[in-house]
C-alpha cells in the first residue's frame, strides 16, 4: 500500500535548509519552507509560490558517483523531482552540499 503524504505540520527542514533559508531572508528574498504541492505528493524545500520559483537543497544522498571517475551527478529521484516541478511550471534552482560547504568556508553566510 502507498504511504500517505506527510502533513505539512509534520515536515521538517534540515539544518542546512534552515541556514540557507535564513541567509536568503537576510538577503531580502521572501520565501516559504517545505511547501507541499499536488496534495502533498511533492514538496519544495524553499519556495516563492507567487513566482513559482523553487530552491532545492541537495545533500550527499541526492547524488550518485561515477564508478570510474568518482564524478558526482544528480540521482534518478533528484532528476525526476526537477522534471516534475518543471512540468508543473516551476523554475528549479538546485543547491548542492558542496556549494554550501564552499559558502561556509568563505563565511559568506
Amino acid at each position: 500500500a502507498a504511504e500517505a503524504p506527510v502533513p505539512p505540520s509534520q515536515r521538517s527542514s534540515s539544518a542546512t535548509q534552515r541556514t540557507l533559508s535564513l541567509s536568503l531572508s537576510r538577503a531580502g528574498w521572501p520565501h516559504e519552507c517545505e511547501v507541499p504541492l499536488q496534495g502533498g505528493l511533492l514538496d519544495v524545500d524553499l519556495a516563492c509560490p507567487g513566482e513559482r520559483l523553487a530552491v532545492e537543497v541537495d545533500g550527499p544522498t541526492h547524488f550518485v558517483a561515477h564508478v570510474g571517475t568518482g564524478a558526482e551527478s544528480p540521482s534518478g529521484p533528484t532528476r525526476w523531482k526537477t522534471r516534475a516541478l518543471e512540468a508543473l511550471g516551476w523554475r528549479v534552482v538546485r543547491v548542492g552540499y558542496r556549494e554550501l560547504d564552499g559558502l561556509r568556508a568563505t563565511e559568506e553566510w
Side-chain angles (χ1 to χ4, degrees):
E3 292 184 26
V6 177
S9 62
Q10 294 180 14
R11 289 186 175 98
S12 62
S13 297
S14 69
T16 302
Q17 288 171 314
R18 289 189 302 271
T19 301
L20 181 58
S21 176
L22 180 59
S23 294
L24 292 172
S25 292
R26 287 178 178 160
W29 188 59
H31 60 279
E32 300 174 28
C33 298
E34 300 296 331
V35 177
L37 302 175
Q38 299 300 107
L41 294 176
L42 288 170
D43 67 307
V44 175
D45 295 340
L46 308 171
C48 186
E51 296 178 25
R52 298 183 76 78
L53 176 61
V55 175
E56 287 290 301
V57 179
D58 295 338
T61 62
H62 290 263
F63 296 92
V64 293
H66 184 275
V67 175
T69 65
E72 291 183 331
S73 61
S75 67
T78 298
R79 290 192 324 262
W80 179 89
K81 186 175 181 183
T82 297
R83 287 193 303 266
L85 290 169
E86 289 171 344
L88 292 170
W90 286 75
R91 288 178 295 144
V92 181
V93 175
R94 302 205 82 88
V95 182
Y97 70 102
R98 293 192 186 276
E99 294 167 294
L100 294 173
D101 286 346
L103 284 175
R104 283 188 200 104
T106 61
E107 297 183 31
E108 291 179 17
W109 78 342

